[in-house]
Amino acid sequence: MGTSRNNLSKTTQSLNAGRAPHKYGGIVNPPLYRASTITFPSVAALMEAEKHWDKQHFYGRYGTEPTFAFEQAVAALEGGYRSVAVSCGVAALTTAILAFVKPTDHILVSDGVYGPTRLFCEQFLKPYGVDVTYYEPTISERSLTDLMQGNTKVLYLESPSSLTFEMQDVQGLCRVAKAKGITTIMDNTWGTPIGCASFAHGVDVSIHAATKYIMGHSDGLLGLISCNEASYKPVRQMGKILGHSASADDVYMAARGLRTLPVRLAQHQASALTIVERLLARPEVAQVWYPAHSSHPQHALWRRDFTHACGLFSFVLDERYNQAQAHRFVDALTLFGIGFSWGGYESLVLPVNLQGLRHHPTAIKGQVIRLHVGLEDGDDLWDDMVQAFKEIA
Ligand SMILES: *Cc1c(COP(=O)(O)O)cnc(C)c1O
């Protein structure tokens, strides 16, 4: 089970990735090792272990066997070489960026990035001396090329965008970056390792907030930096320099969540599609931004690059509804928790405020609401939404 054949489906691979029951007396899930100190039978053994610190037991901060197995498995699922587990998604993306930019370098960042990514660019990268340019998520290859400078080292993508869900032409943008020797990093949290095979589209480094769908139960934090062969060493080394580590317990839970990821995603997607269709038919709704639905402006890119979608999307209320009414709608929902960090089994809702989160102006008129459609019965969720619409009628 340690080896995954390429002809197996993602579902089967997700079930078996990183498991080796015969290594652990037949135990189905790799056991949980809690360790800081690792001791060695001799100085020679210690010196030998140090050479393989990222693959074998050397010091607890660098991980233990189940962590190494999980890092390899999850990278293989996405078509990468190896991943690096860190404490959370933000640690993953900051480590990945710092592995490839230094003061006086330039980075191109999608204007649709996750809020804390922008915070890192504004409050760390800029004072550190890195030049940051935000480009429009739907930019063409030609316009992106115009933004490239001699000192551009990283192209940072996130597809779909956080909150507004524009799809990026990942293949095209990575192609022009590659031609200039620029490293491409993509936040693939929405896509997941099984929903978007980012490495096949030209991505060098893929970020996952495993906190979300991989963990899947809203009870742990974990970040993964999946790398192709060329990017692995600099990323691993930067994680070491910054002192990042992943808790053995959280890796255990993420590995357990991975087993049910394909069936959970299929259910999230099916319920989301039903709710999207019904929202599109409501007079209160102006737009729905769900990349896996044919109404999405870049639906063709989703079809080309993704094999799964999930339960996360936003919709826009008709202009006649003000912010107070949007908040009243959100408050009236009983089956949707009001909060952050989607990807668990339960439904969530959030009023979206894009203030300070976009460099380029957006043409959005109405109030935006983000939904995470969970694993509850889809009709129950819809009934709840219908009664909340009545509240603002
Ligand atoms: C949640 C999220 C992160 C950060 O993950 P944490 O584990 O909460 O640090 C990064 N990127 C995206 C797109 C996210 O949604």
Side-chain angles (χ1 to χ4, degrees):
M1 280 179 202
T3 59
S4 51
R5 283 183 291 133
N6 285 334
N7 56 347
L8 291 175
S9 77
K10 292 285 179 206
T11 301
T12 306
Q13 287 184 46
S14 302
L15 284 179
N16 292 330
R19 293 204 297 122
H22 304 305
K23 211 167 154 180
Y24 306 109
I27 296 169
V28 170
N29 291 313
L32 173 51
Y33 290 179
R34 291 205 181 88
S36 53
T37 299
I38 311 280
T39 58
F40 302 90
S42 65
V43 175
L46 178 146
M47 287 165 69
E48 182 57 27
E50 188 170 17
K51 291 183 201 153
H52 310 286
W53 63 274
D54 63 333
K55 299 185 204 64
Q56 292 173 19
H57 292 173
F58 179 64
Y59 180 50
R61 195 194 309 124
Y62 309 137
T64 57
E65 262 175 25
T67 303
F68 302 144
F70 180 67
E71 287 172 337
Q72 273 154 13
V74 84
L77 268 176
E78 193 174 346
Y81 169 71
R82 176 80 191 262
S83 70
V84 177
V86 291
S87 61
C88 66
V90 168
L93 65 92
T94 56
T95 302
I97 291 170
L98 286 175
F100 299 101
V101 294
K102 57 182 191 327
T104 73
D105 287 344
H106 174 235
I107 179 172
L108 284 163
V109 178
S110 169
D111 205 26
V113 285
Y114 178 60
T117 311
R118 182 180 301 266
L119 186 72
F120 175 71
C121 291
E122 292 298 310
Q123 299 196 12
F124 183 84
L125 286 185
K126 284 183 176 177
Y128 178 60
V130 175
D131 187 12
V132 181
T133 301
Y134 298 101
Y135 64 89
E136 293 194 65
T138 55
I139 197 169
S140 67
E141 287 174 52
R142 178 189 292 257
S143 303
L144 184 75
T145 308
D146 290 343
L147 296 177
M148 288 174 176
Q149 306 173 180
N151 59 344
T152 307
K153 293 293 160 59
V154 167
L155 170 67
Y156 192 94
L157 307 106
E158 184 176 326
S159 184
S161 297
S162 273
L163 306 174
T164 47
F165 299 90
E166 296 96 337
M167 294 299 298
Q168 300 199 258
D169 178 5
V170 177
Q171 293 182 10
L173 303 183
C174 287
R175 189 163 46 233
V176 295
K178 192 142 290 179
K180 303 237 177 200
I182 295 168
T183 299
T184 53
I185 304 175
M186 172 156 121
D187 189 326
N188 196 20
T189 299
W190 192 93
T192 82
I194 65 161
C196 175
S198 64
F199 295 98
H201 306 318
V203 169
D204 295 313
V205 180
S206 172
I207 303 300
H208 295 281
T211 305
K212 308 281 166 63
Y213 280 111
I214 298 176
M215 197 78 83
H217 295 72
S218 308
D219 52 4
L221 291 150
L222 189 74
L224 290 167
I225 314 161
S226 292
C227 306
N228 60 13
E229 201 164 350
S231 61
Y232 171 67
K233 274 217 171 98
V235 166
R236 176 65 79 174
Q237 186 65 14
M238 186 50 70
K240 183 180 187 177
I241 291 166
L242 295 175
H244 286 309
S245 72
S247 122
D249 297 72
D250 289 335
V251 169
Y252 182 92
M253 294 215 289
R256 197 161 83 150
L258 184 67
R259 312 302 170 207
T260 56
L261 180 62
V263 288
R264 284 186 287 113
L265 277 185
Q267 186 58 47
H268 283 290
Q269 179 176 349
S271 293
L273 272 172
T274 308
I275 288 180
V276 166
E277 295 273 351
R278 292 174 183 180
L279 280 172
L280 285 166
R282 292 292 301 200
E284 298 91 343
V285 174
Q287 286 177 56
V288 181
W289 297 328
Y290 187 53
H293 190 268
S294 55
S295 62
H296 190 281
Q298 296 99 35
H299 177 62
L301 288 175
W302 179 81
R303 288 184 72 92
R304 186 190 70 183
D305 297 347
F306 287 65
T307 52
H308 284 80
C310 63
L312 190 80
F313 64 92
S314 292
F315 67 96
V316 189
L317 286 173
D318 187 89
E319 276 180 67
R320 68 180 181 274
Y321 297 100
N322 61 26
Q323 192 181 56
Q325 286 168 304
H327 291 182
R328 200 150 12 104
F329 172 83
V330 168
D331 284 339
L333 292 166
T334 61
L335 294 177
F336 294 77
I338 302 171
F340 299 97
S341 206
W342 41 275
Y345 54 84
E346 84 290 11
S347 290
L348 294 173
V349 62
L350 201 67
V352 171
N353 183 356
L354 289 172
Q355 197 136 34
L357 287 179
R358 291 292 183 273
H359 180 80
H360 298 276
T362 57
I364 303 159
K365 293 261 166 50
Q367 299 293 315
V368 181
I369 294 175
R370 189 183 75 179
L371 288 181
H372 177 250
V373 174
L375 301 177
E376 300 89 344
D377 181 273
D379 288 332
D380 289 343
L381 293 176
W382 181 248
D383 289 348
D384 192 30
M385 296 188 74
V386 170
Q387 67 78 26
F389 277 127
K390 281 192 191 127
E391 282 293 308
I392 59 167

